mmCIF file with all atom_site columns, all heavy atoms in Angstrom:
data_model
loop_
_atom_site.group_PDB
_atom_site.id
_atom_site.type_symbol
_atom_site.label_atom_id
_atom_site.label_alt_id
_atom_site.label_comp_id
_atom_site.label_asym_id
_atom_site.label_entity_id
_atom_site.label_seq_id
_atom_site.pdbx_PDB_ins_code
_atom_site.Cartn_x
_atom_site.Cartn_y
_atom_site.Cartn_z
_atom_site.occupancy
_atom_site.B_iso_or_equiv
_atom_site.pdbx_formal_charge
_atom_site.auth_seq_id
_atom_site.auth_comp_id
_atom_site.auth_asym_id
_atom_site.auth_atom_id
_atom_site.pdbx_PDB_model_num
ATOM 1  N N   . ILE I 1 62 ? -19.711 31.756 71.094 1.00 58.00 ? 62 ILE I N   1
ATOM 2  C CA  . ILE I 1 62 ? -18.791 30.661 70.688 1.00 58.00 ? 62 ILE I CA  1
ATOM 3  C C   . ILE I 1 62 ? -18.373 29.899 72.098 1.00 58.00 ? 62 ILE I C   1
ATOM 4  O O   . ILE I 1 62 ? -17.983 28.767 72.064 1.00 58.00 ? 62 ILE I O   1
ATOM 5  C CB  . ILE I 1 62 ? -17.556 31.355 70.052 1.00 58.00 ? 62 ILE I CB  1
ATOM 6  C CG1 . ILE I 1 62 ? -16.762 30.179 69.517 1.00 58.00 ? 62 ILE I CG1 1
ATOM 7  C CG2 . ILE I 1 62 ? -16.714 32.177 71.002 1.00 58.00 ? 62 ILE I CG2 1
ATOM 8  C CD1 . ILE I 1 62 ? -17.400 29.355 68.371 1.00 58.00 ? 62 ILE I CD1 1
ATOM 9  N N   . LEU I 1 63 ? -18.469 30.625 73.201 1.00 54.00 ? 63 LEU I N   1
ATOM 10 C CA  . LEU I 1 63 ? -18.024 29.892 74.510 1.00 54.00 ? 63 LEU I CA  1
ATOM 11 C C   . LEU I 1 63 ? -19.154 29.094 74.928 1.00 54.00 ? 63 LEU I C   1
ATOM 12 O O   . LEU I 1 63 ? -18.917 28.228 75.767 1.00 54.00 ? 63 LEU I O   1
ATOM 13 C CB  . LEU I 1 63 ? -17.606 30.955 75.523 1.00 54.00 ? 63 LEU I CB  1
ATOM 14 C CG  . LEU I 1 63 ? -16.369 31.908 75.093 1.00 54.00 ? 63 LEU I CG  1
ATOM 15 C CD1 . LEU I 1 63 ? -16.240 32.958 76.212 1.00 54.00 ? 63 LEU I CD1 1
ATOM 16 C CD2 . LEU I 1 63 ? -15.241 31.018 74.900 1.00 54.00 ? 63 LEU I CD2 1
ATOM 17 N N   . ARG I 1 64 ? -20.430 29.357 74.779 1.00 54.00 ? 64 ARG I N   1
ATOM 18 C CA  . ARG I 1 64 ? -21.538 28.562 75.139 1.00 54.00 ? 64 ARG I CA  1
ATOM 19 C C   . ARG I 1 64 ? -22.404 28.171 73.967 1.00 54.00 ? 64 ARG I C   1
ATOM 20 O O   . ARG I 1 64 ? -23.593 28.320 73.998 1.00 54.00 ? 64 ARG I O   1
ATOM 21 C CB  . ARG I 1 64 ? -22.328 29.393 76.084 1.00 54.00 ? 64 ARG I CB  1
ATOM 22 C CG  . ARG I 1 64 ? -21.638 29.704 77.391 1.00 54.00 ? 64 ARG I CG  1
ATOM 23 C CD  . ARG I 1 64 ? -22.484 30.433 78.337 1.00 54.00 ? 64 ARG I CD  1
ATOM 24 N NE  . ARG I 1 64 ? -22.760 31.821 77.757 1.00 54.00 ? 64 ARG I NE  1
ATOM 25 C CZ  . ARG I 1 64 ? -23.671 32.693 78.337 1.00 54.00 ? 64 ARG I CZ  1
ATOM 26 N NH1 . ARG I 1 64 ? -24.225 32.366 79.399 1.00 54.00 ? 64 ARG I NH1 1
ATOM 27 N NH2 . ARG I 1 64 ? -23.842 33.809 77.683 1.00 54.00 ? 64 ARG I NH2 1
ATOM 28 N N   . LEU I 1 65 ? -21.780 27.555 73.043 1.00 55.00 ? 65 LEU I N   1
ATOM 29 C CA  . LEU I 1 65 ? -22.473 27.225 71.724 1.00 55.00 ? 65 LEU I CA  1
ATOM 30 C C   . LEU I 1 65 ? -23.722 26.303 71.995 1.00 55.00 ? 65 LEU I C   1
ATOM 31 O O   . LEU I 1 65 ? -23.565 25.214 72.486 1.00 55.00 ? 65 LEU I O   1
ATOM 32 C CB  . LEU I 1 65 ? -21.566 26.640 70.667 1.00 55.00 ? 65 LEU I CB  1
ATOM 33 C CG  . LEU I 1 65 ? -22.062 26.612 69.225 1.00 55.00 ? 65 LEU I CG  1
ATOM 34 C CD1 . LEU I 1 65 ? -22.381 27.981 68.818 1.00 55.00 ? 65 LEU I CD1 1
ATOM 35 C CD2 . LEU I 1 65 ? -20.893 26.216 68.277 1.00 55.00 ? 65 LEU I CD2 1
ATOM 36 N N   . SER I 1 66 ? -24.878 26.675 71.532 1.00 61.00 ? 66 SER I N   1
ATOM 37 C CA  . SER I 1 66 ? -26.009 25.867 71.734 1.00 61.00 ? 66 SER I CA  1
ATOM 38 C C   . SER I 1 66 ? -26.353 25.241 70.349 1.00 61.00 ? 66 SER I C   1
ATOM 39 O O   . SER I 1 66 ? -26.264 25.866 69.326 1.00 61.00 ? 66 SER I O   1
ATOM 40 C CB  . SER I 1 66 ? -27.236 26.669 72.140 1.00 61.00 ? 66 SER I CB  1
ATOM 41 O OG  . SER I 1 66 ? -28.390 26.011 72.095 1.00 61.00 ? 66 SER I OG  1
ATOM 42 N N   . ASP I 1 67 ? -26.842 24.069 70.396 1.00 69.00 ? 67 ASP I N   1
ATOM 43 C CA  . ASP I 1 67 ? -27.331 23.372 69.112 1.00 69.00 ? 67 ASP I CA  1
ATOM 44 C C   . ASP I 1 67 ? -28.912 23.399 69.100 1.00 69.00 ? 67 ASP I C   1
ATOM 45 O O   . ASP I 1 67 ? -29.562 22.725 68.388 1.00 69.00 ? 67 ASP I O   1
ATOM 46 C CB  . ASP I 1 67 ? -26.954 21.899 69.108 1.00 69.00 ? 67 ASP I CB  1
ATOM 47 C CG  . ASP I 1 67 ? -27.376 21.080 70.119 1.00 69.00 ? 67 ASP I CG  1
ATOM 48 O OD1 . ASP I 1 67 ? -27.867 21.505 71.204 1.00 69.00 ? 67 ASP I OD1 1
ATOM 49 O OD2 . ASP I 1 67 ? -27.282 19.722 70.042 1.00 69.00 ? 67 ASP I OD2 1
ATOM 50 N N   . ASP I 1 68 ? -29.443 24.304 69.888 1.00 77.00 ? 68 ASP I N   1
ATOM 51 C CA  . ASP I 1 68 ? -30.964 24.460 69.979 1.00 77.00 ? 68 ASP I CA  1
ATOM 52 C C   . ASP I 1 68 ? -31.242 25.951 70.032 1.00 77.00 ? 68 ASP I C   1
ATOM 53 O O   . ASP I 1 68 ? -31.940 26.384 71.031 1.00 77.00 ? 68 ASP I O   1
ATOM 54 C CB  . ASP I 1 68 ? -31.502 23.749 71.183 1.00 77.00 ? 68 ASP I CB  1
ATOM 55 C CG  . ASP I 1 68 ? -33.044 23.565 71.082 1.00 77.00 ? 68 ASP I CG  1
ATOM 56 O OD1 . ASP I 1 68 ? -33.658 23.706 69.944 1.00 77.00 ? 68 ASP I OD1 1
ATOM 57 O OD2 . ASP I 1 68 ? -33.647 23.305 72.034 1.00 77.00 ? 68 ASP I OD2 1
ATOM 58 N N   . LEU I 1 69 ? -30.892 26.709 69.003 1.00 87.00 ? 69 LEU I N   1
ATOM 59 C CA  . LEU I 1 69 ? -31.135 28.132 69.052 1.00 87.00 ? 69 LEU I CA  1
ATOM 60 C C   . LEU I 1 69 ? -32.621 28.348 68.803 1.00 87.00 ? 69 LEU I C   1
ATOM 61 O O   . LEU I 1 69 ? -33.434 27.557 68.267 1.00 87.00 ? 69 LEU I O   1
ATOM 62 C CB  . LEU I 1 69 ? -30.367 28.716 67.942 1.00 87.00 ? 69 LEU I CB  1
ATOM 63 C CG  . LEU I 1 69 ? -28.839 28.778 68.048 1.00 87.00 ? 69 LEU I CG  1
ATOM 64 C CD1 . LEU I 1 69 ? -28.189 29.345 66.910 1.00 87.00 ? 69 LEU I CD1 1
ATOM 65 C CD2 . LEU I 1 69 ? -28.452 29.452 69.388 1.00 87.00 ? 69 LEU I CD2 1
ATOM 66 N N   . PRO I 1 70 ? -33.037 29.573 69.362 1.00 90.00 ? 70 PRO I N   1
ATOM 67 C CA  . PRO I 1 70 ? -34.409 29.844 69.216 1.00 90.00 ? 70 PRO I CA  1
ATOM 68 C C   . PRO I 1 70 ? -34.940 30.228 67.789 1.00 90.00 ? 70 PRO I C   1
ATOM 69 O O   . PRO I 1 70 ? -34.119 30.754 66.947 1.00 90.00 ? 70 PRO I O   1
ATOM 70 C CB  . PRO I 1 70 ? -34.612 31.216 70.002 1.00 90.00 ? 70 PRO I CB  1
ATOM 71 C CG  . PRO I 1 70 ? -33.328 31.337 70.897 1.00 90.00 ? 70 PRO I CG  1
ATOM 72 C CD  . PRO I 1 70 ? -32.331 30.582 70.108 1.00 90.00 ? 70 PRO I CD  1
ATOM 73 N N   . MET I 1 71 ? -36.055 29.756 67.351 1.00 93.00 ? 71 MET I N   1
ATOM 74 C CA  . MET I 1 71 ? -36.593 30.031 66.059 1.00 93.00 ? 71 MET I CA  1
ATOM 75 C C   . MET I 1 71 ? -37.998 30.640 66.192 1.00 93.00 ? 71 MET I C   1
ATOM 76 O O   . MET I 1 71 ? -38.738 30.376 67.131 1.00 93.00 ? 71 MET I O   1
ATOM 77 C CB  . MET I 1 71 ? -36.866 28.634 65.390 1.00 93.00 ? 71 MET I CB  1
ATOM 78 C CG  . MET I 1 71 ? -35.578 27.785 65.217 1.00 93.00 ? 71 MET I CG  1
ATOM 79 S SD  . MET I 1 71 ? -34.378 28.440 64.143 1.00 93.00 ? 71 MET I SD  1
ATOM 80 C CE  . MET I 1 71 ? -35.006 28.022 62.631 1.00 93.00 ? 71 MET I CE  1
#
Side-chain angles (χ1 to χ4, degrees):
I62 195 71
L63 299 175
R64 296 183 291 178
L65 195 57
S66 172
D67 63 346
D68 191 22
L69 292 174
M71 305 291 284

